[in-house]
Amino acid sequence: MAINNPRSIAIADFTYDLPEERIAAHPLEQRDDSRLLVYKGGAISESTYKHIADQLPPGALLVFNNTRVVQARLLFTKPTGGAIEIFCLEPDTRYPDITTAMGQAGGVSWTCLVGGAGKWKPGLILEKQLDAGTEKILLTAAMESRHTDGFTIRFEWSPAQKSFAEILQLAGRIPIPPYIKREADETDTQRYQTIYAEQEGSVAAPTAGLHFTPAIFEDLKLKNIETAFVTLHVGAGTFKPVKSERIEGHDMHAEFIDVDQATIRQLIRHQNRIIAVGTTSLRTLETLYWMGVKASLNPSASLQELEIRQWEVYDSLLRLDIPVETALKHLSDWMENRQANRIICKTQILIAPGYPIKMVKALVTNFHQPQSTLLLLVAAMIGDDWKNVYEYAMHNGFRFLSYGDGSLLWLREDNIS
């Protein structure tokens, strides 16, 4: 590809007209009735998710993100009657990872957005009574600090036995995306969640997986297509628009990943046959590759040193031509030497045109917002043909964004490293 470093990319080149009526406000009644646009070798065809197994070769490995969306929106009422809404984004940096923070009992500090923050006077502690069946729980919220991206809020509850994950389940609302112009309802609690969601921690769903059903997984088994699960906890930054004219001015959000040793070995066995379900799965897989590259260069590196920052792939690592199997084996060896069964760390990887896809042959994904980093990722997969794909989808009645239809995009051969 012509561009090696995406810093110079003008985000205005990655836009299209998306009328509001084309944004799916509700999911279809049946998950797998969603339409599937198939892009392969420059050609576009149509199917449905119900028949996605027919589009995949035997022996392939589908990699899913098994994060679970937490009910991250908390509504408090001030003593004067005014409403304060708190949107829990991610744990405070005092916790090593989301799982640890979610498991806190009695109290936890969280980075949040606050609606109505101007009405929250210093020192005021908000209270909310929760009904936990046979017991009542008092949940309080106090503002610890204010910073550029939001607030640090201290939550405490009594009795203190329950974890913060359980408190959110009792007190919170599901955070459907801001471009869905309605309030979340009971349907969203189930449908804005994949059927295999397991690891608590996301504030947005890995939407490519919303279409998958038990019947699809049975069809995959019958065709000898394996599945694997990684975790990337999706942050609110996934909706953050690129406001700078060029990508170099955009600060890519960092998100937690969690991958175990057995999955890395599975990836090694299936190299050249891997298909990512969702952009979050792809970002996780590509992160693992570059972590393996760094482990091969410095076997004694710390976990923090292995983490992938926004620009380092383009600035230094792309010069290294290390096979996928070699990189993943070095990462596996690094884990074994530390008797670590899993990797839990943050990734800030930015995948944009000029990035050489390392790990996958195809991507299953929904249709994304104009001028978003997700659209840049799609362009990294299929080059300028993203325009043909989106134009076809727009002219043929496909539904867009989180509750919309999706696509199966096969990697363009000239995008392979």
Side-chain angles (χ1 to χ4, degrees), residues 5 299 357:
N5 194 317
I357 303 296

Side-chain angles (χ1 to χ4, degrees), residues 72-74 86-90 110-112 155 164 168 203:
R73 293 175 60 194
L74 297 167
I86 301 175
F87 185 9
C88 300
L89 296 180
E90 62 181 12
W110 217 262
T111 299
C112 304
F155 296 103
F164 188 54
L168 287 178
V203 298

Side-chain angles (χ1 to χ4, degrees), residues 63-131:
V63 180
F64 297 83
N65 181 6
N66 66 357
T67 188
R68 186 171 186 83
V69 182
V70 297
Q71 296 185 182
R73 293 175 60 194
L74 297 167
L75 190 64
F76 286 84
T77 303
K78 298 191 305 175
T80 56
I84 301 286
E85 182 175 357
I86 301 175
F87 185 9
C88 300
L89 296 180
E90 62 181 12
D92 184 71
T93 54
R94 72 193 72 177
Y95 309 105
D97 54 71
I98 287 181
T99 303
T100 300
M102 281 289 181
Q104 297 296 304
V108 71
S109 294
W110 217 262
T111 299
C112 304
L113 299 177
V114 177
K119 303 174 184 177
W120 192 347
K121 294 182 179 179
L124 175 63
I125 297 177
L126 304 176
E127 296 185 355
K128 187 179 183 71
Q129 289 282 348
L130 308 181
D131 187 353

Side-chain angles (χ1 to χ4, degrees), residues 87 112 148 192 200 248 286 295 323 331 343 349 363 368 396 405:
F87 185 9
C112 304
T148 305
Y192 194 60
E200 300 266 7
E248 63 184 347
E286 296 296 311
L331 184 58
I343 283 178
I349 193 169
L363 169 68
H368 304 293
N396 288 275
D405 300 311

Side-chain angles (χ1 to χ4, degrees), residues 316-332:
S316 59
L317 297 178
L318 278 181
R319 296 194 296 268
L320 305 170
D321 187 19
I322 296 178
V324 168
E325 181 178 8
T326 302
L328 292 182
K329 282 184 175 178
H330 276 289
L331 184 58
S332 179

Side-chain angles (χ1 to χ4, degrees), residues 18-29 174-189 191-192 210 366 398-405:
L18 177 58
E20 188 169 333
E21 63 268 18
R22 300 305 298 277
I23 299 172
H26 298 272
L28 296 180
E29 186 174 345
I174 205 79
I176 60 174
Y179 46 70
I180 295 180
K181 306 297 184 183
R182 62 174 177 80
E183 286 296 315
D185 57 32
E186 283 302 313
T187 301
D188 298 304
T189 303
R191 294 300 302 276
Y192 194 60
L210 295 179
N366 282 25
F398 281 75
R399 302 161 75 243
F400 279 64
L401 305 187
S402 294
Y403 275 146
D405 300 311

